[in-house]
Amino acid sequence: MSLIAMLMSLPPAIDAQLKRDSGLNFFEYSILSQLSGAPGRRMQMARLAQMAGGTLSRLSHAASRLEERELVHRHLVTGESRCTELALTDAGMTFLEAAAPGHVREARRLVFDVLTPEQVAQVRDIAQSITTAASPEVARALREAIVASDRL
Amino acid sequence: MSLIAMLMSLPPAIDAQLKRDSGLNFFEYSILSQLSGAPGRRMQMARLAQMAGGTLSRLSHAASRLEERELVHRHLVTGESRCTELALTDAGMTFLEAAAPGHVREARRLVFDVLTPEQVAQVRDIAQSITTAASPEVARALREAIVASDRL
DNA sequence: TGGATCGACTTGAACATTCAAGTCCCGACT
DNA sequence: AGTCGGGACTTGAATGTTCAAGTCGATCCA
């Protein structure tokens, strides 16, 4: 029951802060954030969908909304992979830089500030176990992301 | 990042099982489940919304859907409180009894089976802390629910 | 008595996500 | 060379949630 309560309260709280301060939902924020860390600030749609944790269809709709706001733009890649890439515009980068501190502050306030360092370590292990059981796909993307961030 | 991955993977997995096997989403399941445990298998809308973790508006829409399926029915309470109650029908009770085992099994599989007993205790404390920070409302409803279940 | 306000809802429109096609190109098989 | 299947999207409709009114008694004063 406690876990369910957290699942019900944390994502809405995070979303509310982003929505209020930047007019983005968490998924859209994740898209911008992932793009900002990618080489050339661009990424293939399919790969981005994996990293941001959504389906291709969801990403396609979200990309359309972000494109409307000129934070992002689509770019067809010719050549052997025949795919479309999403690229962060300069305006998008600026926008993200403005949005990030508030989001980080909220994440800190709701999670890190209320947990001891041991609990932070515990929740990492627990969350990884549950994620692996619930969605091997997401778990794999997570491991990739962790490896990538370790390289920094 | 691990926590985010869990937030993204667990609810969809739970929803998917319920949807596949019973055609309910988790919120609708929660409504039926709460009603089944209430005295007289009925509860005031506003109170039910709190217990099930949603807004009144969301509950009202969901109640309409469940009423369509005759799992539940609305009942205006006259008298000093002037509110509407939602009551579980016999068909609703039967339906819930059929849906519950699969849901419980899935919850066990995705959470309890992959955690040690110590981790289960850890996640309880962690989730309560985060819930309190993210939504005092939900945290209060949770405490109430815990007290209620302790009385059994 | 007569508003003003409040709580408990309901409703409909706006928005986001999912779902089921549909398109387009590529590479493999025959 | 032709076509079959598959990957990478896009699109539109269906579904569910949120948001902003709107309704309807009850209660609070003045």
Side-chain angles (χ1 to χ4, degrees):
Chain A
M1 281 166 51
S2 303
L3 179 59
I4 288 171
M6 182 181 83
L7 295 176
M8 283 177 351
S9 62
L10 185 53
I14 294 282
D15 264 353
Q17 181 276 326
L18 279 172
K19 194 73 176 180
R20 180 165 37 76
D21 297 350
S22 319
L24 295 174
N25 61 29
F26 183 69
F27 184 60
E28 291 164 340
Y29 179 86
S30 299
I31 291 168
L32 298 186
S33 172
Q34 288 291 335
L35 286 178
S36 78
R41 289 184 189 160
R42 59 183 62 243
M43 211 185 285
Q44 214 186 98
M45 294 284 283
R47 178 159 174 66
L48 181 54
Q50 294 245 313
M51 304 303 302
T55 61
L56 199 43
S57 170
R58 187 183 180 188
L59 174 59
S60 184
H61 285 297
S64 299
R65 275 174 268 145
L66 293 172
E67 216 171 10
E68 200 93 351
R69 295 171 64 175
E70 313 212 349
L71 302 177
V72 110
H73 79 95
R74 278 181 167 94
H75 175 253
L76 261 89
V77 175
T78 63
E80 62 180 282
S81 53
R82 179 61 55 193
C83 60
T84 103
E85 281 186 348
L86 210 61
L88 195 60
T89 62
D90 290 347
M93 191 66 197
T94 304
F95 190 88
L96 178 63
E97 281 166 349
H103 172 64
V104 170
R105 199 175 315 119
E106 187 74 349
R108 187 179 306 282
R109 185 174 79 76
L110 298 180
V111 179
F112 295 97
D113 286 354
V114 301
L115 301 183
T116 65
E118 299 86 54
Q119 285 181 313
V120 171
Q122 289 166 5
V123 79
R124 177 166 38 67
D125 292 345
I126 290 168
Q128 283 178 18
S129 297
I130 291 177
T131 301
T132 301
S135 165
E137 280 267 290
V138 173
R140 193 158 38 70
L142 171 62
R143 281 195 300 274
E144 262 186 60
I146 289 173
V147 169
S149 75
D150 279 350
R151 266 202 297 274
L152 296 183
Chain B
M1 281 167 50
S2 303
L3 179 59
I4 289 171
M6 183 182 80
L7 295 176
M8 282 178 349
S9 62
L10 185 53
I14 294 284
D15 265 352
Q17 182 275 325
L18 278 171
K19 195 73 175 177
R20 180 165 36 75
D21 296 350
S22 320
L24 295 174
N25 60 32
F26 183 69
F27 184 60
E28 293 163 337
Y29 179 87
S30 300
I31 292 169
L32 299 185
S33 172
Q34 289 290 336
L35 286 179
S36 77
R41 288 182 189 162
R42 61 183 61 244
M43 210 185 286
Q44 212 186 100
M45 295 284 285
R47 177 158 175 67
L48 181 55
Q50 293 245 312
M51 302 303 303
T55 62
L56 199 44
S57 169
R58 187 185 181 188
L59 174 59
S60 184
H61 284 297
S64 299
R65 273 174 269 144
L66 293 172
E67 218 171 11
E68 199 92 353
R69 295 171 65 174
E70 313 212 348
L71 302 178
V72 112
H73 79 96
R74 280 180 166 97
H75 175 252
L76 261 88
V77 175
T78 64
E80 64 180 278
S81 57
R82 180 65 53 196
C83 62
T84 103
E85 282 185 345
L86 209 61
L88 195 60
T89 62
D90 290 347
M93 190 65 196
T94 304
F95 191 88
L96 179 63
E97 281 167 349
H103 172 63
V104 170
R105 199 175 315 120
E106 187 74 350
R108 189 182 304 282
R109 185 175 79 78
L110 299 180
V111 178
F112 295 97
D113 286 355
V114 301
L115 301 183
T116 66
E118 298 86 58
Q119 285 181 314
V120 171
Q122 289 166 5
V123 80
R124 179 167 36 68
D125 293 343
I126 290 167
Q128 283 179 17
S129 297
I130 292 177
T131 302
T132 301
S135 165
E137 280 269 290
V138 173
R140 191 158 40 68
L142 171 62
R143 280 195 301 274
E144 262 185 60
I146 289 173
V147 170
S149 73
D150 279 351
R151 266 200 296 274
L152 297 184

